[in-house]
Amino acid sequence: MKVDAIVFIQVMEASQAAYRVDNLMYAITQLTQTNLRTVVGSMELDEVLSQRDLINTRLLATIDHATNPWGVKIARIEIKDLTPPSDITNAMARQMKAERERRAVITEAEGEKQAQIARAEGSKQAAILQAEGRREAAFRDAEAREREAEAEAKATAFVSEAIAKGDVNAINYFIAQKYVEAFGELARSPNAKTVIVPADFAGLTGTVAGVAELVKTLGGKDVAIAAGPAVPPSPRRGA
């Protein structure tokens, strides 16, 4: 280890500096070098490179005590430069590189971990939102079916009440409604090209509105209404 240090001195007693030591500057230089080897040699390499203030303090106390009989006070010691051997420098460079690579791997792994956590959290929130959407849709479907059932029940009750009172129009309405519904299901078949209805179909005044609705429902289909013999209100299909 090559160490370059600077020593600041103050002569307090000139006579002692002149008569108690033969060469004051040479003596202080040799004393500083000797104690510098002792202090640096007792420390770890990392401590030498990172704790210059500690070296300065220890040297100052030791050399100031040793030069006191010479009438000299050591005011300050500063380590100017520290140069490790080339092999140690290369080893330190490799160590620093390995440390940087280790930190880079740790940082990358931490980033990947956070990304996976974020993706998992996003998938969780998406699944929760989808489940809530399905629950809301099911609730609305159930509500719609409930309202439809209530409306059907009210209509049935109304027709039943009218039938109980002997209202013939209500009976005709109820029969015609079922008749038109059955006929509509027959006509909706994609294979139906011709629909044959009973000859007295036009005479059923209660089915006029149903036939009009049926024609609208069929859209662009080719439908032929043919007269035939009277049959019970059950439609039949022919090709």
Side-chain angles (χ1 to χ4, degrees):
M1 176 73 71
K2 295 176 63 176
V3 183
D4 188 5
I6 302 175
V7 181
F8 298 90
I9 66 174
Q10 182 179 1
V11 178
M12 306 299 294
E13 297 289 341
S15 59
Q16 294 180 2
Y19 295 110
R20 291 199 173 187
V21 61
D22 183 49
N23 188 335
L24 179 63
M25 301 306 298
Y26 179 77
I28 292 177
T29 301
Q30 294 299 313
L31 185 62
T32 303
Q33 290 178 355
T34 303
N35 284 275
L36 187 59
R37 292 190 189 99
T38 301
V39 172
V40 172
S42 64
M43 301 173 64
E44 296 290 338
L45 177 61
D46 293 340
E47 293 178 349
V48 173
L49 297 176
S50 61
Q51 299 184 11
R52 294 190 181 188
D53 292 339
L54 178 61
I55 299 175
N56 295 337
T57 302
R58 293 175 62 179
L59 280 176
L60 180 62
T62 303
I63 298 175
D64 185 59
H65 179 71
T67 57
N68 187 48
W70 301 342
V72 176
K73 179 176 178 58
I74 304 300
R76 188 183 185 92
I77 296 179
E78 290 291 339
I79 301 298
K80 184 179 178 181
D81 190 20
L82 289 169
T83 306
S86 59
D87 56 341
I88 296 180
T89 303
N90 294 333
M92 292 172 60
R94 292 194 299 271
Q95 181 182 6
M96 294 177 61
K97 180 180 179 181
E99 180 65 19
R100 287 194 297 268
E101 291 177 351
R102 183 184 69 85
R103 293 181 180 179
V105 171
I106 293 175
T107 303
E108 183 179 358
E110 186 66 23
E112 181 64 23
K113 173 184 175 182
Q114 295 297 329
Q116 291 179 358
I117 292 175
R119 287 193 292 267
E121 186 66 23
S123 300
K124 174 183 175 182
Q125 293 296 329
I128 292 174
L129 293 176
Q130 291 177 0
E132 291 179 352
R134 291 192 298 268
R135 184 184 66 178
E136 182 67 19
F139 174 77
R140 293 185 179 275
D141 289 342
E143 185 178 6
R145 289 193 298 270
E146 182 180 357
R147 292 183 179 180
E148 183 180 359
E150 290 178 355
E152 183 68 20
K154 290 181 180 179
T156 303
F158 179 77
V159 173
S160 298
E161 183 180 355
I163 293 174
K165 294 180 179 180
D167 190 347
V168 179
N169 292 328
I171 298 175
N172 291 336
Y173 169 77
F174 187 76
I175 296 175
Q177 182 184 19
K178 298 299 181 181
Y179 185 75
V180 171
E181 289 178 357
F183 184 71
E185 292 296 331
L186 176 65
R188 288 192 189 97
S189 174
N191 299 323
K193 299 298 182 179
T194 303
V195 179
I196 301 175
V197 300
D200 60 346
F201 183 81
L204 298 176
T205 56
T207 62
V208 175
V211 172
E213 184 66 21
L214 176 61
V215 173
K216 292 180 181 178
T217 304
L218 293 178
K221 290 184 178 180
D222 296 332
V223 178
I225 300 178
V231 295
S234 176
R236 61 188 174 88
R237 179 179 62 188

